[in-house]
Amino acid sequence: MIILDEDDAAAIITRRLLNTHEVLKMKNAISSSNSSNLPSNDFYSFTTLVMLNRINKLILARYKVDYTKRPKDNVLNEYYEVCSMFWDYFFNQFPQIQSFIQGESVMFENGDLYNRNNQTGGSLLLRPVGQKIFAQIYNAFNEKGQLEQLTAKIPYLDFNLNGPLCKYITWNNKILPKSESLQKRLLFYVLGLSPDESIHDDLKSTYENFGVHYNNRFEIIDAR
């Protein structure tokens, strides 16, 4: 269990972050859910303990951590700093999320609420699936030493589930099943992380399932 495990480095770091990180230790940051998914009636929590732990493991993937053996304290401290840097980056790039956790009303530019709701969906980044995808995006840029490029491109990303980057892919009046892979591929494509031109054929097919015409509307972001 994440709460009790004293050998699993990610579990140790997850507990430490809950006690020390200025955002993650906030009252509404973490749901009481025992799964990776947020309860359908929880419109206030940022994420779940399980997903927080899972994302920490994603961030630590390049270290090939043995989660059955407790690392030495200096190694644990290094892992903690790596995970903490990711969460600092995340909340610095998306201050709306901290406002959401604090119970403040935040909106997208088009007037949709930047929360989690059953009408427009809210923000992909307030769904565990979106948080996981962003961690993978962060890893891809970080491994290339290109976090500054990611920072420059983030303002061009619309994480509104009811907006063009997510609608019919992850959201259509509800979260769509089995959408994670296609959503990740699209985000990697527009961020220039993948030259996968076949994404357009798959999006065309996906749009047609909803009776919507796809016209190759997505282009790679040029933030120079």
Side-chain angles (χ1 to χ4, degrees):
M1 293 178 61
I2 299 168
I3 297 299
L4 301 175
D5 199 315
E6 289 295 338
D7 295 320
D8 185 324
I12 295 167
I13 290 164
T14 296
R15 294 196 301 270
R16 185 173 171 186
L17 284 166
L18 292 179
N19 290 320
T20 61
H21 194 275
E22 62 178 352
V23 179
L24 293 172
K25 70 180 182 182
M26 289 181 177
K27 180 180 177 181
N28 287 331
I30 306 299
S31 166
S32 59
S33 171
N34 291 323
S35 76
S36 61
N37 294 320
L38 286 156
S40 59
N41 61 349
D42 182 346
F43 299 106
Y44 309 101
S45 303
F46 162 60
T47 195
T48 68
L49 184 65
V50 173
M51 184 52 66
L52 178 64
N53 189 66
R54 191 170 294 176
I55 289 174
N56 288 334
K57 285 188 173 182
L58 275 174
I59 298 302
L60 293 173
R62 61 184 171 135
Y63 292 91
K64 311 298 182 186
V65 181
D66 179 358
Y67 290 108
T68 66
K69 183 179 179 180
R70 183 186 177 99
K72 294 180 180 179
D73 286 348
N74 65 314
V75 176
L76 267 177
N77 288 337
E78 179 185 357
Y79 292 165
Y80 169 81
E81 290 301 324
V82 169
C83 292
S84 186
M85 283 176 61
F86 165 73
W87 290 110
D88 286 346
Y89 181 88
F90 182 86
F91 291 117
N92 284 336
Q93 295 305 311
F94 305 106
Q96 309 96 321
I97 293 179
Q98 182 170 338
S99 297
F100 165 82
I101 293 171
Q102 293 171 321
E104 300 173 11
S105 180
V106 189
M107 293 186 178
F108 288 100
E109 289 185 3
N110 72 346
D112 287 346
L113 285 170
Y114 194 108
N115 61 4
R116 201 167 47 251
N117 66 76
N118 293 328
Q119 289 74 48
T120 61
S123 174
L124 176 65
L125 297 177
L126 291 175
R127 308 276 179 163
V129 61
Q131 296 156 12
K132 179 182 174 184
I133 292 172
F134 187 81
Q136 293 168 321
I137 290 169
Y138 174 93
N139 276 350
F141 277 95
N142 193 33
E143 287 168 6
K144 296 179 180 181
Q146 296 179 349
L147 281 183
E148 288 187 2
Q149 289 190 25
L150 174 58
T151 302
K153 292 183 177 186
I154 282 175
Y156 296 90
L157 294 174
D158 182 3
F159 288 104
N160 184 351
L161 282 167
N162 204 41
L165 202 57
C166 300
K167 191 166 185 179
Y168 306 121
I169 301 166
T170 295
W171 176 264
N172 188 39
N173 299 317
K174 63 179 181 179
I175 289 289
L176 300 172
K178 300 180 181 180
S179 60
E180 180 178 343
S181 176
L182 185 59
Q183 188 70 78
K184 176 186 172 182
R185 284 175 59 205
L186 175 56
L187 286 166
F188 269 56
Y189 176 78
V190 298
L191 286 167
L193 289 168
S194 168
D196 181 13
E197 291 291 338
S198 67
I199 186 73
H200 295 296
D201 290 333
D202 293 334
L203 287 169
K204 181 176 182 291
S205 175
T206 298
Y207 273 50
E208 286 175 350
N209 288 336
F210 296 102
V212 179
H213 176 65
Y214 176 72
N215 58 356
N216 292 1
R217 67 183 70 183
F218 298 109
E219 298 179 355
I220 297 172
I221 295 169
D222 183 357
R224 290 177 295 177

